[in-house]
Amino acid sequence: DFGHDGARRAVDILFFDLAADEPERRRSSRRVLQESLGKLTVKGNDLPAFASDDFKWLVALTYTKYAPALVSSAIPRLSQALVFERGEVLRAYVMALHYYSGLDMDLQENEHVNLSSILCDLLSARAQICLVTMNRFSDLKTTIIKYVCKDFKSRLVSNSD
């Protein structure tokens, strides 16, 4: 057992590669995370739909001994990785961030998920990729629309004051 700090350092290296601009580094990092975390038993095997075999590690991460630290480390890197991914990987990352935002977990101060802002930035930067991916995955489309509408409504209310 490497302890809290050791676990955090180990996943930081892998999460750093998740957001690398080289596709092979991202694929390798996902493969290592899946091989190491994907075999963990998730309570009741009740996995969200996005957590298929290749992405089970995104949920299994929340069942580790140091889950708050590891999820805190994952959030900024998954957010950064969105600009490089498409299709099923993009869906899995957005849905994982959505999943993390609903957890009752003691995350580090600056690591809470502001998914509305992340998704608005993503839609601005990669509108066509998002459109194609949203048309392919209805759960992703519903989630993005929910958060973007929430963000617009909150901005309208704050601007009217």
Side-chain angles (χ1 to χ4, degrees), residues 11 15 18 33 37 48 50-51 55-64 67-79 91-108 111-115 118 143 147:
V11 297
F15 292 150
L18 281 180
L33 286 161
L37 294 171
F50 75 87
F55 301 105
K56 183 180 175 187
W57 64 269
L58 288 163
V59 174
L61 183 69
T62 65
Y63 289 94
T64 61
L70 303 185
V71 170
S72 291
S73 184
I75 289 170
R77 295 301 180 188
L78 288 176
S79 300
R91 172 194 178 229
Y93 288 0
V94 169
M95 298 306 290
L97 289 167
H98 169 63
Y99 179 78
Y100 299 155
S101 71
L103 294 176
D104 185 23
M105 197 177 277
D106 187 22
L107 300 177
Q108 291 186 354
E111 301 308 337
H112 289 280
V113 183
N114 183 349
L115 199 51
I118 291 168
T143 300
Y147 279 96

Side-chain angles (χ1 to χ4, degrees), residues 69-149:
L70 303 185
V71 170
S72 291
S73 184
I75 289 170
R77 295 301 180 188
L78 288 176
S79 300
Q80 292 168 349
L82 295 176
V83 300
F84 299 113
E85 300 299 354
R86 60 185 61 226
E88 190 175 17
V89 177
L90 178 63
R91 172 194 178 229
Y93 288 0
V94 169
M95 298 306 290
L97 289 167
H98 169 63
Y99 179 78
Y100 299 155
S101 71
L103 294 176
D104 185 23
M105 197 177 277
D106 187 22
L107 300 177
Q108 291 186 354
E109 181 74 23
N110 296 322
E111 301 308 337
H112 289 280
V113 183
N114 183 349
L115 199 51
S116 296
S117 177
I118 291 168
L119 292 175
C120 286
D121 290 346
L122 176 64
L123 287 167
S124 296
R126 303 187 72 210
Q128 189 61 37
I129 297 293
C130 288
L131 179 62
V132 169
T133 307
M134 286 173 21
N135 284 335
R136 187 172 160 203
F137 300 103
S138 62
D139 60 342
L140 177 68
K141 185 178 196 174
T142 301
T143 300
I144 289 178
I145 290 171
K146 172 187 161 188
Y147 279 96
V148 171
C149 286

